[in-house]
Amino acid sequence: MDPTYAWALTERGQSHRQAGHYEKAREDLERAIEADPEDLSSMFEKLVLDTVEGQLEACAEQWRRLLASPVSPPNEAATRFLGLLRVLLLEPESGVAEATEEFLSANPDHGTITDALAYLAELTAGGDGVADRARQCRRLIVERASA
């Protein structure tokens, strides 16, 4: 109903991305960012899209800035998930197992784990080092959750 409602555009863009409709996702996410340039959620979803499409190098600095932003409102599990993404995306020399354990030490609830697994599944689609690290992280979370 409101073509400038950033939250709705972000949600629809995320849905398009998850369905593999990257062009439609990009349109919605760019419109969401245009409607509300300060919205970190829109920027996050657009960076996930760029990364899934293999453009990590081009958006690495944007990831650095976004991942350094404080979570508002403060949320330990979300903060630790962003730390996990920092390791997966920007710090290939860091240990995935340690970062995964750090994320899980926040005792994330079922919804947070489900969301993390969904993002990790998307990141495994590429054939690069990020995909390998995301696959390893996803496996570790599933093993721990089923133990």
Side-chain angles (χ1 to χ4, degrees):
M1 294 171 71
D2 179 357
T4 63
Y5 187 32
W7 178 85
L9 290 165
T10 300
E11 293 295 310
R12 188 170 68 182
Q14 178 186 23
S15 295
H16 282 310
R17 188 193 68 238
Q18 290 171 337
H21 304 156
Y22 298 148
E23 188 173 316
K24 289 179 181 180
R26 183 166 305 285
E27 289 172 13
D28 281 343
L29 294 169
E30 286 176 355
R31 285 178 50 208
I33 292 167
E34 184 179 312
D36 186 356
E38 301 300 313
D39 181 40
L40 295 180
S41 178
S42 300
M43 181 58 68
F44 176 84
E45 295 300 339
K46 169 119 175 356
L47 288 173
V48 171
L49 173 64
D50 292 342
T51 303
V52 167
E53 288 189 314
Q55 300 174 30
L56 177 59
E57 285 188 39
C59 63
E61 186 55 38
Q62 289 175 302
W63 269 119
R64 280 184 189 82
R65 284 194 308 269
L66 184 124
L67 294 174
S69 302
V71 174
S72 181
N75 178 312
E76 184 179 3
T79 299
R80 291 186 189 221
F81 178 64
L82 293 177
L84 177 62
L85 285 178
R86 185 177 47 259
V87 167
L88 295 175
L89 300 172
L90 303 173
E91 300 173 3
E93 69 285 351
S94 297
V96 172
E98 294 83 3
T100 303
E101 191 56 42
E102 178 72 17
F103 164 66
L104 293 171
S105 71
N107 295 315
D109 62 22
H110 179 74
T112 302
I113 289 175
T114 301
D115 288 346
L117 290 173
Y119 284 113
L120 292 168
E122 285 188 83
L123 292 173
T124 64
D128 56 8
V130 170
D132 294 338
R133 291 189 300 278
R135 212 174 278 105
Q136 179 186 2
C137 178
R138 194 170 194 282
R139 182 182 43 79
L140 291 167
I141 291 172
V142 169
E143 285 174 3
R144 170 109 178 258
S146 62

